[in-house]
Amino acid sequence: MKEKLEQILVKASAELEAADQPQKLEELRVAYLGKKGELTAILRGMGSLSAEERPLIGAKANEVRTAIEAMIASAGERIKARETERRLAAEKIDVTVPGTPVRMGARHPLTLVRREIEDIFTSMGFSIAEGPEVEFGYYNFDALNTPANHPARDVQDTFYFSGDMLLRTQTSSVQARFMENHKPPLRMICPGAVYRSDDVDATHSPFFHQIEGLIVDKNIGLSDLKGALTQFSQLFFGPETRVRFRPHHFPFTEPSAEMDVSCFACGGSGCRLCKGEGWIEILGAGVVHPNVLRMAGIDPDVYSGYAFGIGQERLALLKYKIDDMRLLFENDTRFLHQFY
Ligand code: PHE
């Protein structure tokens, strides 16, 4: 029986050493120490032993049991440690592997230009206003001294909804709205999209953006307009920039003018950018017509003002030397990524 116990120990030791899974270990524990295990069977058979043999075999059996228990415990530790090691290796993060590139967005050139214009005018004390793109004919035309028979109101030029609703053709509609809700002195700019029934080509689009400006106060005249817009042009295009006003007609301003800036590419001597003229048109402007003030409930004998409308696309094309306006609306990110 003693040899039998020793054999069990040797066998158990070999099997436990080879065990590499928790289930395998549990199987072995049951096989040796369980109720129906080999060691238990021997202990059970001790009744048949002589009185001298019994304590000796009993002691040996206990020794073997303790040894097997210790081996099971250490095999358990070993399996657990190996499992931890395996998991650490499998879950290891290699921080040196190059990451998946995240493509950064870039600001649209129109946004860049709008923000720059906003910065310049807010630094001069203008606030920023907004108005609806779907507008009443009243604000887009009537309140701006543009009577029903004016050609700009033609369906050839303007997108109409039913009734008196249309897509605004100019941000000047916001002038009219702003004067209804604000008492002079007032000073605002309004950037936004406008719509006209135009065919698309390199310099035309049925959808584009303007920035309207309006100031109404006592003793405001053409010289104020000239000063502010000259200052704006020099801040936007550079300190050498000169401006020139050409007489023009807008129903809501009198006198009215279009303003050109000296070409910032050639300084005025004539080049491809300015088409040899030395000058580039950037906006329309004028002294607010007394009828427009009157329509808004402002007394033109007390107050006067000026207004202007800048084409945002035009400034973006000039600033970034883009030669086709369609590029601004096609949203090809390869193109747009050049600006930031
Ligand atoms: N609304 C005019 C246009 O769209 C521009 C303008 C604005 C002119 C304000 C004078 C004053 O052409």
Side-chain angles (χ1 to χ4, degrees):
M1 217 166 233
K2 195 166 167 232
E3 290 87 70
K4 181 86 178 124
L5 281 168
E6 262 155 21
Q7 274 167 20
I8 289 176
L9 187 58
V10 170
K11 199 166 129 242
S13 148
E15 284 181 355
L16 283 167
E17 219 159 272
D20 57 358
Q21 297 287 333
Q23 319 85 282
K24 181 72 190 159
L25 193 60
E26 177 58 14
E27 273 168 30
L28 290 172
R29 192 189 63 76
V30 173
Y32 287 103
L33 308 179
K35 272 190 202 136
K36 291 175 188 155
E38 294 188 37
L39 202 59
T40 320
I42 292 199
L43 292 172
R44 280 221 187 92
M46 284 203 357
S48 61
L49 294 175
S50 67
E52 299 90 67
E53 262 184 323
R54 207 176 295 152
L56 292 173
I57 297 299
K60 184 72 189 171
N62 270 335
E63 205 180 281
V64 169
R65 164 178 275 277
T66 316
I68 291 178
E69 278 171 355
M71 285 187 309
I72 289 175
S74 81
E77 297 281 309
R78 196 190 68 233
I79 290 171
K80 221 166 111 190
R82 200 171 300 155
E83 173 66 5
T84 308
E85 242 169 62
R86 194 192 60 73
R87 282 189 37 202
L88 281 177
E91 291 171 13
K92 190 166 76 179
I93 293 169
D94 182 353
V95 293
T96 66
V97 171
T100 320
V102 177
R103 233 167 118 70
M104 291 288 283
R107 288 199 188 96
H108 195 284
L110 282 175
T111 305
L112 292 168
V113 161
R114 173 173 55 76
R115 292 207 179 158
E116 192 175 343
I117 300 172
E118 286 174 354
D119 279 351
I120 293 173
F121 282 107
T122 50
S123 80
M124 296 183 194
F126 286 74
S127 57
I128 299 175
E130 274 188 351
E133 291 173 28
V134 176
E135 186 54 285
F136 291 108
Y138 174 79
Y139 291 109
N140 197 84
F141 293 124
D142 302 88
L144 294 168
N145 200 34
T146 309
N149 58 0
H150 195 279
R153 300 187 70 144
D154 199 279
V155 283
Q156 303 290 333
D157 290 309
T158 302
F159 295 114
Y160 285 92
F161 295 93
S162 54
D164 194 33
M165 301 292 284
L166 46 82
L167 287 174
R168 69 178 176 196
T169 63
Q170 51 188 356
T171 45
S172 305
S173 54
V174 186
Q175 279 189 44
R177 286 180 170 273
F178 197 84
M179 282 188 281
E180 273 189 352
N181 303 324
H182 297 79
K183 293 271 145 279
L186 51 89
R187 218 184 287 195
M188 70 85 168
I189 56 166
C190 164
V194 300
Y195 305 80
R196 289 181 199 177
S197 182
D198 256 330
D199 288 331
V200 176
D201 66 25
T203 52
H204 292 87
S205 162
F207 163 79
F208 58 101
H209 296 78
Q210 294 187 325
I211 293 199
E212 189 78 8
L214 172 72
I215 171 163
V216 178
D217 203 343
K218 288 180 178 150
N219 301 316
I220 296 289
L222 202 56
S223 58
D224 302 288
L225 179 158
K226 231 178 141 174
L229 294 180
T230 303
Q231 166 115 50
F232 161 75
S233 304
Q234 290 174 345
L235 288 170
F236 191 87
F237 290 110
E240 309 298 320
T241 309
R242 286 164 293 125
V243 301
R244 142 179 120 168
F245 289 83
R246 283 176 289 101
H248 198 75
H249 170 76
F250 297 107
F252 35 89
T253 48
E254 181 60 37
S256 302
E258 280 185 334
M259 191 187 89
D260 302 336
V261 289
S262 54
C263 176
F264 52 86
C266 64
S269 55
C271 67
R272 245 187 64 192
L273 188 77
C274 58
K275 301 197 177 73
E277 292 196 3
W279 297 95
I280 298 170
E281 181 206 322
I282 63 161
L283 58 83
V287 174
V288 181
H289 196 290
N291 284 351
V292 173
L293 295 176
R294 236 173 255 128
M295 292 277 285
I298 296 170
D299 183 353
D301 292 328
V302 181
Y303 290 104
S304 54
Y306 64 79
F308 55 89
I310 304 174
Q312 274 188 57
E313 279 76 6
R314 192 156 181 88
L315 293 204
L317 298 187
L318 291 170
K319 177 134 204 159
Y320 298 110
K321 305 199 166 49
I322 303 168
D323 58 10
D324 192 327
M325 186 153 100
R326 288 169 284 199
L327 289 164
L328 295 176
F329 299 125
E330 280 164 0
N331 286 336
D332 183 336
T333 51
R334 290 168 304 179
F335 168 74
L336 294 175
H337 256 281
Q338 302 174 80
F339 312 96
Y340 37 83

